[in-house]
């Protein structure tokens, strides 16, 4: 398959390096290398960056002014979505599901949640066990009612175009 057939926003720092591991291979008796997805850029990178290059391109192609996604409270996917949206001038809304019942303020307001907000994303919190795809569709409809054209990204970027990355 030729990926050039699909819209893509090239923002990641690719190709990411492979780095040899030194101590664990000695214990296992094998050669072991790690792919440095933390080097993809887009605010500390991660494994979702490649997916988001395709998803954000699709959002732009559709003329969307907002992206929306959902995941757990400290989601790396949400942080990267917020970073991409900020870079591209899109609004971002993230639905955060409490999957831990951990009520520490530092957990719920710092880390990736703080970075989401620094990137300009708005967040909405839900207790664990909610129908998050349903909540996201309701939130998207509410934003559409306010005049936004919303591109919905399932948790983890797992829709038909996400795996292209």
């Amino acid at each position: 398959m030729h990926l050039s057939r699909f819209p893509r926003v090239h923002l990641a720092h690719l190709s990411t390096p492979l780095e040899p591991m030194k101590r664990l291979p000695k214990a296992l008796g094998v050669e072991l290398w790690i792919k440095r997805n933390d080097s993809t850029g887009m605010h500390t990178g991660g494994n979702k960056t490649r997916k988001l290059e395709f998803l954000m391109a699709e959002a732009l192609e559709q003329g969307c002014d907002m992206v929306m996604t959902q995941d757990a409270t400290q989601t790396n996917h949400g942080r990267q979505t917020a970073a991409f949206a900020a870079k591209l001038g899109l609004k971002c809304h993230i639905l955060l599901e409490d999957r831990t019942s951990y009520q520490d303020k530092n957990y719920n307001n710092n880390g990736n949640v703080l970075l989401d907000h620094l990137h300009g994303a708005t967040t909405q919190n839900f207790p664990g066990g909610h129908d998050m795809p349903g909540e996201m569709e309701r939130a998207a409809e509410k934003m559409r009612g306010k005049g936004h054209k919303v591109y919905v990204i399932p948790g983890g970027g797992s829709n038909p175009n996400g795996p292209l990355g």
Side-chain angles (χ1 to χ4, degrees):
M1 175 185 339
H2 295 282
L3 291 178
S4 61
R5 297 182 314 157
F6 300 93
R8 184 176 189 176
V9 179
H10 293 277
L11 293 176
H13 302 233
L14 300 174
S15 295
T16 55
L18 292 171
E19 187 173 304
M21 303 302 289
K22 299 200 187 298
R23 294 183 359 204
L24 184 58
K26 287 180 184 175
L28 297 175
V30 297
E31 184 177 14
L32 185 63
W33 293 67
I34 187 168
K35 183 140 180 74
R36 293 289 310 274
N37 277 329
D38 60 316
S39 301
T40 58
M42 294 312 297
H43 207 153
T44 69
N47 66 327
K48 303 301 184 194
T49 302
R50 290 174 186 83
K51 283 184 172 186
L52 285 165
E53 287 193 331
F54 290 94
L55 298 172
M56 293 303 216
E58 188 172 53
L60 292 172
E61 188 175 74
Q62 292 177 11
C64 295
D65 68 335
M66 174 182 273
V67 293
M68 184 178 290
T69 195
Q70 60 88 15
D71 218 321
T73 301
Q74 288 294 335
T75 169
N76 290 328
H77 162 69
R79 173 189 32 85
Q80 288 191 280
T81 301
F84 262 90
K87 182 84 170 177
L88 297 171
L90 300 172
K91 295 187 182 321
C92 180
H93 186 67
I94 307 168
L95 283 68
L96 301 173
E97 182 182 17
D98 177 9
R99 297 179 185 165
T100 66
S101 298
Y102 192 57
Q103 295 304 312
D104 185 278
K105 286 183 182 182
N106 282 322
Y107 177 77
N108 290 300
N109 298 310
N110 286 313
N112 283 338
V113 178
L114 175 62
L115 294 173
D116 296 341
H117 294 158
L118 289 174
H119 286 300
T122 55
T123 56
Q124 194 174 351
N125 297 329
F126 294 87
H130 263 63
D131 169 20
M132 292 307 289
E135 293 290 355
M136 192 162 57
E137 194 48 48
R138 283 186 283 284
E141 282 306 313
K142 184 177 178 182
M143 293 298 185
R144 289 178 185 121
K146 293 180 179 181
H148 291 289
K149 187 157 185 189
V150 181
Y151 181 82
V152 174
I153 302 171
S158 297
N159 72 10
N161 281 351
L164 294 171

